[in-house]
Amino acid sequence: MADARSIILHEYPTSPYAEKIRLALRLKNLAYSRVEIPVIMPRPDLMPMTGGYRRTPVMQIGADIYCDTAIILRELEARFPMPALKLPGHEGLAQMVAGWTDGRWFQSSVAVIFGEKGDQVPDAFKKDREELSGRPFNTDAMKAVAPMMRDQWRARLMLLEERLQGGQGAGAGLYLIGMKPGLVDIHAYMNVWFMEQNVPDFLEQCFERADLTKAWYERLKEFEGQEPETITSRQALDIALFAAPRLVAATTRSEPQGLSPGEDVAVAPDDYGQVWVEGELVHADSQRIILQRTSEEAETVHVHFPRAGYLVRRL
């Protein structure tokens, strides 16, 4: 049964970003619990813990709440270093690759998938994603550009094929960097998985000229890991309520804005889902910022964000 020591993943099955973390958990063979959150808002038991952050997934360990896959992966590697995913050659590069997979490649995935399936998308989903992105969710426009986006999507997939060909020539081509799967593979896997779940025929067409990438993808899919326990959102909230955040030094290090522990600040993504989460600054460095928040439902929690891709401002 889940408790304050458990990894709890707040996610839904069709989320490609959640699949990144599910793959990491499988590769590390870690036990975890999951809360299946709604695909669209509201999420009333999660919001008291995140302070309004609404992107998926969110990881919880006791009263520590981790927002964004970048900080989730960093925390999993710190707490559970073996087997390692931050392998030689992945340092720093993994997050650079994530900027590409989560940005331009994901945008072309969305255009291809919803250009194909747009007629099946409920109006409530469209409205929710418009609120999340701050722009229209226009499936007719996606359908119009889908042929061009298929070209773009395949071109990006073929970059993986080039990388694997290069590694194979050097005698180390099973994964994108070397003979073991790591963080770079996790980021690159996401869009391929997302396409397979939604437009598998198109993916198979792409694989016809990318046999190394197909074999790489199949190898990653073979990792099974541990079957998660499903708990309710209320159970997860109660775990946070009766836990305390992990002790962390109240420090800031060479902050460009001169931020200091104890200041009231707000944090938000710099691209979409720009909900400002407010709290008291506990810790900040070049890769992480931690806010302390209090609420009646969860009492005191620490909310963790990555720095790259997130804006911080004083209140």
Side-chain angles (χ1 to χ4, degrees):
M1 186 64 175
D3 59 26
R5 299 164 296 178
S6 303
I7 299 168
I8 302 172
L9 191 63
H10 298 257
E11 51 101 3
Y12 55 86
T14 58
S15 166
Y17 290 94
E19 179 61 16
K20 271 193 190 188
I21 305 306
R22 294 190 293 255
L23 175 58
L25 291 165
R26 294 196 297 270
L27 291 173
K28 283 185 169 291
N29 196 29
L30 290 173
Y32 72 102
S33 298
R34 64 180 293 271
V35 175
E36 185 164 336
I37 60 176
V39 175
I40 63 175
M41 300 295 279
R43 298 165 183 163
D45 290 334
L46 184 56
M47 292 301 102
M49 291 189 279
T50 64
Y53 176 84
R54 52 157 300 173
R55 297 189 347 184
T56 303
V58 169
M59 185 177 78
Q60 172 190 354
I61 301 180
D64 282 282
I65 313 300
Y66 301 88
C67 300
D68 194 280
T69 55
I71 202 66
I72 293 172
L73 290 169
R74 185 175 290 274
E75 188 65 20
L76 287 175
E77 196 70 357
R79 291 194 186 222
F80 310 101
M82 298 300 292
L85 297 176
K86 189 178 179 180
L87 297 165
H90 292 252
E91 308 96 327
L93 179 63
Q95 199 55 40
M96 298 179 207
V97 171
W100 170 65
T101 61
D102 296 7
R104 298 300 292 275
W105 196 4
F106 180 69
Q107 291 165 15
S108 60
S109 294
V110 168
V112 170
I113 290 167
F114 289 102
E116 180 78 19
K117 304 177 72 172
D119 295 338
Q120 305 169 32
V121 178
D123 288 341
F125 181 89
K126 293 180 183 179
K127 181 179 179 182
D128 180 83
R129 290 311 188 260
E130 287 178 345
E131 293 174 355
L132 179 64
S133 67
R135 56 182 180 269
F137 192 88
N138 189 332
T139 52
D140 289 336
M142 293 181 198
K143 187 177 295 186
V145 301
M148 292 182 287
M149 288 298 103
R150 284 177 177 240
D151 292 345
Q152 291 293 304
W153 198 92
R154 183 188 64 172
R156 292 181 169 106
L157 180 80
M158 293 306 294
L159 295 176
L160 304 187
E161 187 72 5
E162 286 187 36
R163 172 83 285 277
L164 290 164
Q165 287 172 350
Q168 187 179 58
L174 287 182
Y175 295 96
L176 292 174
I177 301 178
M179 298 298 288
K180 295 180 180 179
L183 292 172
V184 171
D185 300 279
I186 289 169
H187 293 303
Y189 171 90
M190 179 187 81
N191 283 287
V192 186
W193 178 88
F194 194 31
M195 194 59 66
E196 184 185 40
Q197 302 307 303
N198 291 280
V199 194
D201 291 345
F202 171 60
L203 178 62
E204 281 304 316
Q205 291 175 12
C206 295
F207 275 159
E208 289 175 5
R209 300 297 297 273
D211 56 327
L212 295 179
T213 305
K214 181 176 182 178
W216 163 85
Y217 179 63
E218 294 296 334
R219 278 192 292 274
L220 288 171
K221 283 173 60 179
E222 288 174 0
F223 284 90
E224 294 184 350
Q226 301 190 42
E227 191 67 26
E229 170 197 21
T230 297
I231 65 174
T232 67
S233 59
R234 184 69 234 187
Q235 287 174 306
L237 184 57
D238 283 344
I239 287 170
L241 176 64
F242 294 109
R246 199 178 197 187
L247 290 175
V248 61
T251 59
T252 55
R253 302 172 186 172
S254 304
E255 279 299 307
Q257 297 186 63
L259 300 173
S260 299
E263 287 193 77
D264 290 329
V265 300
V267 178
D270 67 0
D271 47 8
Y272 69 94
Q274 201 172 75
V275 176
W276 289 92
V277 177
E278 299 180 358
E280 179 183 313
L281 179 61
V282 175
H283 173 88
D285 58 40
S286 65
Q287 298 302 322
R288 181 190 302 249
I289 187 163
I290 305 173
L291 305 186
Q292 180 169 292
R293 287 184 44 81
T294 58
S295 67
E296 182 178 338
E297 299 92 340
E299 289 198 355
T300 301
V301 297
H302 282 179
V303 189
H304 303 242
F305 297 95
R307 294 305 292 270
Y310 281 75
L311 306 174
V312 184
R313 61 175 171 84
R314 288 184 172 89
L315 294 176

